[in-house]
């Protein structure tokens, strides 16, 4: 087990190194640079700025300088705002992770509950409603849902203020973020629950005199959750890093919007920083979900 | 005569599918005496497993007992409420399934699965349940019981898992054990071991066993009484000897002809031609007549009733009536 984790971490370091390589060189291969759009800057000012960010040096040297900094935990300074990238990412990740975390918890709990209900009440009206709504929610893009929520609750009903600098009202962003993963988990749980309920060991449990409730929540659910776990790991990574669309609509300064503004501003250190952060989170979440897998299903071995 | 512990009277079980009512069991009756072994034989789809599941009330999906009675010590268990039924299952009547590879939950240890039934049906606390579980494993011939309790099903062989299933079924000392093809999924050598174990345990613990199987060899070796089923009905019943040496139903005769015998290796095997009947569309007459070599006109039109063909030996086949009539005619001709 420990050996496996060490192996996976070493592999992860290689993966992340390759990602920095690809990101750095493709980013620089695109014509233009951080200071091309500065209107009033004279050639001298531009040259001075580029020298400050090492942009005047050969590309390979720039990469080496960046990696050196990265190994020391230094992600550089934003070419746009002049602020420390590490700090900016940390600040905006707090916002994204709070909303994303709430959305993920809601999605997982309700998804499993609705999925189980749909499986148990198969072919009844309850099942049909759940299937219809979850299909609808997987089909509707988050920007449509977010806009709709904003329109109905803020403008038509006026229950929630459209924008309030001091309020921490995360209700609407959390709803818009959680709908898709919730629906996906619902459908996943339903399919795998139906499969598990037909298994011989469920019949065995029933034949032992175990109550219906325990048969479902102890014997069946544990087995039914195995495919759900596979989905939840990467889902957590992507939901915690925020959604550009939802964050823009609700004007939240999360990581998702930082990533996109970084690209439009050609803010090289910001692009690199957010990419690496996302990659690390993704790798960690995949590792965690594989380890949880082992906890739930003892048949899985890591050797 | 010993006490009748279980009586099944005119049992009808159907599955309600999109294409109609599948009558899996059509009026099966039998009784089981305490401490005896009853064999139910038949090919796939004959209704033998459905009969067993009807007793346990663990029919899958749309399956339902539509008519009849299942009496345990004179009480109809079909009238039991959920709680009564739960304490019937596992405590009064246990079942062992066909495939030990899939019948144990892969995500729980052997110990927790064994202890579950013990904790549910007895007053034992966790520690005592654990002791009992280890004791049961020793009883069914599993070595190193303490180690096994901590293992998961996938770490055990097929024969070992079936032993665990037997231990689980017998942990609460049930009066009745139903074995639904307990050896079908096992190696031939393991099959013999498991059957021997079951007979051994039956002598030690004294429970009654219903042995459901398609393997006539299994039946011959251990059953006191045998029921032969076809198309959801009982076609012949009697002692094992009567069924094997004086078979009185064309289907039973066919079954016996299709077993290879060691004493006559050169003889060609005679299979029963055709396929089992479609339970969605039951014929008016005898269910077996479309595959029967000696079918008569009456077989097509009227279902034969059960008739005595010997002491403790009943069969529902028109051939027996024909034989009887011929004998009578022979007598009067003299």
């Amino acid at each position: 087990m420990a050996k496996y984790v060490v192996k996976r971490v070493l592999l992860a370091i290689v993966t992340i190194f390759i990602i920095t390589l690809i990101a750095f060189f493709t980013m620089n291969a695109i014509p233009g640079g951080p200071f091309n759009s500065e209107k009033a800057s004279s050639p001298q000012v531009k040259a001075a700025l580029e020298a400050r960010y090492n942009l005047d040096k050969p590309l390979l040297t720039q990469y080496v300088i960046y990696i050196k900094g990265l190994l020391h935990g230094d992600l550089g300074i934003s070419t746009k705002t002049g602020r420390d990238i590490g700090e900016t990412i940390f600040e905006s990740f707090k916002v994204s992770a709070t909303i994303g975390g709430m959305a993920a918890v809601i999605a997982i709990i309700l998804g499993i509950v609705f999925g189980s209900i749909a499986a148990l009440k198969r072919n009844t009206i309850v099942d049909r409603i759940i299937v219809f709504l979850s299909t609808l929610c997987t089909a509707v893009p988050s920007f449509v849902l977010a806009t709709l929520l904003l329109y109905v609750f803020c403008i038509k009903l006026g229950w929630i203020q459209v924008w309030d600098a001091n309020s921490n009202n995360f209700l609407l962003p959390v709803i818009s973020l959680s709908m898709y993963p919730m629906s996906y988990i619902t459908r996943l749980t339903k399919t795998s629950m139906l499969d598990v309920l037909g298994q011989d060991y469920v019949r065995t449990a029933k034949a032992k005199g175990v109550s219906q409730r325990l048969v479902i929540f102890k014997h069946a659910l544990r087995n039914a959750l195995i495919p759900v776990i596979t989905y939840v790991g990467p889902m957590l990574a992507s939901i915690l890093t925020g959604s550009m669309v939802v964050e823009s609509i609700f004007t939240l300064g999360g990581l998702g919007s930082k990533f996109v503004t970084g690209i439009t501003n050609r803010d090289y250190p910001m692009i690199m920083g957010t990419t690496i952060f996302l990659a690390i989170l993704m790798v960690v979440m995949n590792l965690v979900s594989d380890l949880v897998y082992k906890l739930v299903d003892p048949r899985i071995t890591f050797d | 005569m010993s006490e009748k512990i279980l009586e099944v009277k005119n049992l009808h079980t159907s599955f309600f599918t999109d294409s109609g009512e599948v009558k899996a069991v059509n009026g099966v009756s039998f009784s089981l005496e305490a401490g005896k072994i009853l064999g139910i034989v038949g090919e796939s789809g004959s209704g033998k497993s459905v009969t067993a599941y009807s007793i346990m009330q663990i029919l899958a999906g749309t399956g339902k007992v539509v008519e009849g009675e299942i009496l345990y010590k004179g009480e109809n268990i079909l009238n039991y409420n959920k709680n009564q039924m739960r304490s019937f299952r596992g405590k009064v009547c246990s079942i062992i399934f066909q495939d030990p590879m899939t019948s144990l939950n892969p995500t729980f240890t052997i110990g927790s699965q064994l202890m579950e039934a013990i904790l549910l049906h007895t007053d034992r606390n966790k520690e005592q349940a654990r002791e009992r579980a280890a004791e049961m494993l020793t009883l069914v011939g599993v070595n190193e019981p303490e180690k096994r309790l901590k293992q998961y099903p996938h770490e055990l062989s097929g024969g070992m898992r079936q032993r665990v299933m037997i231990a689980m079924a017998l942990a609460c000392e049930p009066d009745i054990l139903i074995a639904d093809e307990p050896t079908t999924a096992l190696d031939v050598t393991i099959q013999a071991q498991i059957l021997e174990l079951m007979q051994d345990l039956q002598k030690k613990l004294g429970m009654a066993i219903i042995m459901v199987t398609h393997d006539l060899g299994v039946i011959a070796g251990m059953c006191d009484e045998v029921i032969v089923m076809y198309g959801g009905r009982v076609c012949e019943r009697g002692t094992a000897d009567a069924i094997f040496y004086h078979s009185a139903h064309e289907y039973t005769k066919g079954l016996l002809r299709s077993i290879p015998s060691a004493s006559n290796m050169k003889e060609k095997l005679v299979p029963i031609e055709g396929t089992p009947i479609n339970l969605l569309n039951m014929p008016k007459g005898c269910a077996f007549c479309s595959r029967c070599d000696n079918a008569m006109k009456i077989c097509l039109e009227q279902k034969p009733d059960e008739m005595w063909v010997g002491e403790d030996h009943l069969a529902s086949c028109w051939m027996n009536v024909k034989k009887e009539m011929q004998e009578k005619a022979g007598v009067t001709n003299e």
Side-chain angles (χ1 to χ4, degrees), chain B residues 12-40:
Chain B
H12 286 74
T13 303
S14 292
F15 290 87
F16 296 89
T17 65
D18 291 338
S19 36
E21 183 183 352
V22 178
K23 293 177 179 168
V25 176
N26 283 295
V28 165
S29 305
F30 61 84
S31 58
L32 178 68
E33 286 171 23
K36 288 283 167 78
I37 304 181
L38 170 78
I40 304 182

Side-chain angles (χ1 to χ4, degrees), chain A residues 202-239:
Chain A
V202 168
R203 189 180 57 192
T204 307
K206 214 170 144 191
K208 272 197 281 191
V210 179
S211 69
Q212 173 85 2
R213 198 167 45 89
L214 265 182
V215 167
I216 291 158
F217 290 106
K218 189 177 160 195
H219 289 268
L221 193 60
R222 181 149 181 189
N223 286 282
L225 285 185
I226 294 169
V228 177
I229 291 163
T230 327
Y231 169 72
V232 165
M235 181 277 276
L236 270 177
S238 78
I239 207 172

Side-chain angles (χ1 to χ4, degrees), chain A residues 200 203-204 206 208 219 223, chain B residues 53 102-103 113 116 121:
Chain A
D200 289 348
R203 189 180 57 192
T204 307
K206 214 170 144 191
K208 272 197 281 191
H219 289 268
N223 286 282
Chain B
Y53 295 172
T102 56
S103 293
Q113 296 189 56
E116 189 172 32
H121 298 301

